[in-house]
Amino acid sequence: MERARPGRPVATLVPDHDEAATVLRHEDGWTANDPHGWVGDLGFEVGPVLYNPWATDPDVLTRLLPRRLDRLAEELDQPRDRLGASGFVAAVLSQVWSCEDGGAPHAGPAAVAVALRPG
């Protein structure tokens, strides 16, 4: 995979978040154990970083949001507001998937979605 450079779009492997460790470092390369990986926007990967781990108190997650977004924007060389918008979408989608699977919404992603909601 090419390294991202400012001004140059790069396809990014986005793993299926239903499986832990879907892309693993192995010897001199990478191994993917999920045949359903996606290629997508780098910003989508930010969501799980913002609302995990599940057991974390939602107030702690929302308190950490500004620092996490600042650090991610700096390290990924991406606009902070774009990463926040992607985090909002991922948190809402996580809630939809939980309900779709017959579960209840989780407090962490819900708190993050509310904190990041546009406008």
Side-chain angles (χ1 to χ4, degrees):
M1 175 184 285
E2 283 186 78
R3 289 187 59 85
R5 288 179 277 166
R8 180 157 194 245
V10 173
T12 303
L13 179 65
V14 180
D16 179 353
H17 293 291
D18 289 337
E19 299 290 331
T22 57
V23 180
L24 307 170
R25 180 109 176 118
H26 179 69
E27 296 175 8
D28 292 331
W30 295 91
T31 300
N33 68 357
D34 182 358
H36 303 291
W38 308 321
V39 173
D41 187 90
L42 179 63
F44 189 77
E45 287 299 288
V46 168
V49 173
L50 300 176
Y51 60 71
N52 279 313
W54 286 105
T56 305
D57 181 300
D59 291 334
V60 173
L61 290 173
T62 56
R63 193 170 59 245
L64 290 172
L65 276 175
R67 192 169 102 194
R68 285 180 171 183
L69 283 170
D70 288 342
R71 180 76 186 266
L72 287 163
E74 180 181 334
E75 292 295 325
L76 298 173
D77 194 26
Q78 297 290 312
R80 186 183 189 278
D81 60 338
R82 181 169 175 248
L83 295 179
S86 295
F88 168 77
V89 170
V92 170
L93 187 56
S94 173
Q95 296 295 66
V96 170
W97 284 337
S98 291
C99 293
E100 186 177 71
D101 290 341
H106 296 280
V112 168
V114 167
L116 293 175
R117 77 179 174 267

